[in-house]
Amino acid sequence: MSMIQVYGVKLTQEPDPLLEHKLLEALPIEKQEKIRRFFHRADALRCMTADILSRYMICRTLAIKNSEIQLHVNPFGKPLLSGNTGCHFNQSHSGQWIVGALSASSCGIDVEEIREPDMDVAEHCFAEQEFRDLQKVPADRRAEYFFDLWTLKESYVKASGFGLSVPLNSFAIRKQPTGISLNTEQEFRNCRFKQYSIDPAYKLSICAEGGNFPEHVELIGQEQLYIDFMNYL
């Protein structure tokens, strides 16, 4: 697996109840219970679809059945495949979009729906240089740049495997004409970033070791994902 795989699914409809029941049963009991506890239907559908996408990526790449997938979490809560598979995955969801990445080395992906940025959050969570860069952006483009930085930073901490134990203001990412740069004292620094445009109302960023990124996101229809995944049960 030389090329990193990046997938996107847009939620456009309610799944057939019988199909949804079968999909839920394909997930671990604790995940089923978590999904059923969601108060908002949209949250439950996003969570279920994100897990289905991760499992679909793994099954398709390793040519295994869903029942053969064995996961564990590292000390910081990141899900990993058990065994030496040379296969790493990550997922994210926001609004209508579910995204996933699969790579031979550690990777992290984040998607966010663009909305009005909270500058207090930015000042608290961004490094000083990042916050200065954000303040220089014209007001009509500030929301986009805020979520550029936010998704890049989230993708980095997810790829590192340390999650939010890494303070978001402890490293700095800059978008410049020459590319995306990282300034960090963290151990995880041999990584690269890429951003994709899948929807003008969203920002999508990925971070991975090696950085052999595809040119485009592989888009899968919501219903098609469900049907294709059923083949691995």
Side-chain angles (χ1 to χ4, degrees), residues 30-103:
E30 61 271 17
K31 182 53 66 78
Q32 295 181 39
E33 293 174 347
K34 175 183 177 180
I35 291 170
R36 292 190 176 103
R37 285 197 300 268
F38 279 114
F39 181 78
H40 295 291
R41 168 63 179 165
D43 293 331
L45 187 56
R46 276 191 290 265
C47 184
M48 183 192 77
T49 305
D51 267 46
I52 294 300
L53 176 59
S54 290
R55 289 174 171 271
Y56 168 74
M57 292 189 302
I58 294 166
C59 289
R60 180 183 178 187
T61 300
L62 299 182
I64 61 175
K65 291 291 187 180
N66 177 63
S67 59
E68 298 177 71
I69 296 176
Q70 294 186 13
L71 301 177
H72 68 279
V73 295
N74 75 2
F76 303 96
K78 182 176 182 178
L80 300 169
L81 272 171
S82 298
N84 185 20
T85 63
C87 182
H88 299 253
F89 71 98
N90 200 235
Q91 65 184 40
S92 179
H93 53 78
S94 178
Q96 288 185 286
W97 281 98
I98 315 293
V99 296
L102 189 141
S103 174

Side-chain angles (χ1 to χ4, degrees), residues 4-30:
I4 297 169
Q5 301 174 38
V6 186
Y7 296 84
V9 180
K10 189 174 185 179
L11 299 179
T12 58
Q13 63 194 61
E14 282 287 328
D16 174 81
L18 181 58
L19 175 59
E20 182 177 2
H21 178 72
K22 292 179 179 178
L23 293 171
L24 267 176
E25 284 192 327
L27 303 179
I29 294 296
E30 61 271 17

Side-chain angles (χ1 to χ4, degrees), residues 100-197:
L102 189 141
S103 174
S105 56
S106 188
C107 61
I109 192 168
D110 192 58
V111 64
E112 295 289 344
E113 187 171 8
I114 300 171
R115 51 197 182 274
E116 189 64 27
D118 187 325
M119 295 301 285
D120 289 336
V121 169
E123 187 172 17
H124 177 72
C125 294
F126 288 175
E128 290 184 13
Q129 183 62 65
E130 292 172 328
F131 186 62
R132 287 196 298 269
D133 289 344
L134 180 63
Q135 289 177 306
K136 294 175 184 176
V137 176
D140 61 340
R141 290 177 26 229
R142 195 166 291 156
E144 285 199 31
Y145 194 76
F146 175 94
F147 285 101
D148 273 330
L149 289 179
W150 189 268
T151 56
L152 286 166
K153 290 174 77 67
E154 285 284 339
S155 72
Y156 172 77
V157 297
K158 293 169 79 175
S160 74
F162 297 119
L164 292 179
S165 67
V166 178
L168 289 176
N169 60 4
S170 68
F171 62 95
I173 293 176
R174 304 190 75 187
K175 285 193 68 175
Q176 298 170 308
T178 54
I180 299 168
S181 65
L182 169 69
N183 183 4
T184 181
E185 297 299 322
Q186 304 294 331
E187 294 179 11
F188 186 78
R189 59 172 65 92
N190 184 28
C191 58
R192 294 184 181 180
F193 298 90
K194 187 171 177 65
Q195 294 185 287
Y196 295 95
S197 297

